[in-house]
Amino acid sequence: MEDVNIIMNTETQCLIVEHLYTVENYLTFNIQVKSGGFAGQSNFCISKEKIGEIIQSLEEAYEKLSGRSQIDDYDSDAHLVIKATRLGKVTVSGQIGGSHQEHSMRFEFTSDQTVLERLINLFNVLIR
């Protein structure tokens, strides 16, 4: 069975989103990224309400293969941006770790629409 936390994993690119815990209406995730020879991870805190909005924007992008969704950490300026363009090309970019933290990493890589579907499935399981 495929691990639902692994959004994508190749030799040079990786995106793993792992749910750690939920407190009241806030979910905390550990997000791991590998891009080229660089790798990093950071915890993201996101409200259930915001996750609902993220799911909606990801579903629209998946349906139209066009659109943008942004996932922001509530506690820092860490973020992920997922942009879908024609022919199923998806660009994942952002910053892992806040700029105020000792370490942070900016990144960008290209994937396909399976990234959208896997994020939608993961978030749907967590808020339902």
Side-chain angles (χ1 to χ4, degrees):
M1 184 171 123
E2 187 175 325
D3 188 342
V4 296
N5 296 327
I6 298 175
I7 306 306
M8 72 166 298
N9 192 10
T10 68
E11 275 189 45
T12 59
Q13 302 169 334
C14 178
L15 176 60
I16 298 173
V17 179
E18 178 185 6
H19 176 247
L20 299 176
Y21 55 86
T22 301
V23 176
E24 295 182 12
N25 284 324
Y26 290 87
L27 290 87
T28 299
F29 299 89
N30 178 265
I31 298 181
Q32 301 171 40
V33 172
K34 179 172 72 171
S35 181
F38 298 93
Q41 65 179 334
S42 178
N43 287 352
F44 275 57
C45 181
I46 308 168
S47 72
K48 284 186 179 182
E49 179 182 342
K50 183 63 178 172
I51 289 177
E53 294 170 15
I54 292 167
I55 291 169
Q56 184 177 4
S57 64
L58 289 170
E59 287 175 338
E60 289 173 14
Y62 185 71
E63 182 180 311
K64 298 176 183 176
L65 291 181
S66 177
R68 179 183 189 278
S69 185
Q70 183 159 332
I71 302 170
D72 294 311
D73 176 28
Y74 181 76
D75 295 324
S76 75
D77 60 349
H79 62 279
L80 296 177
V81 177
I82 298 99
K83 293 181 191 173
T85 59
R86 294 185 309 155
L87 305 175
K89 179 181 170 186
V90 173
T91 302
V92 180
S93 62
Q95 176 179 307
I96 293 296
S99 57
H100 67 282
Q101 295 173 321
E102 188 172 329
H103 299 285
S104 64
M105 180 181 95
R106 290 182 167 254
F107 68 93
E108 180 174 305
F109 57 78
T110 303
S111 185
D112 62 25
Q113 71 270 18
T114 58
V115 167
L116 301 170
E117 181 180 26
R118 289 177 181 164
L119 283 170
I120 292 166
N121 291 340
L122 173 66
F123 289 145
N124 272 325
V125 165
L126 293 172
I127 66 165
R128 294 207 165 112

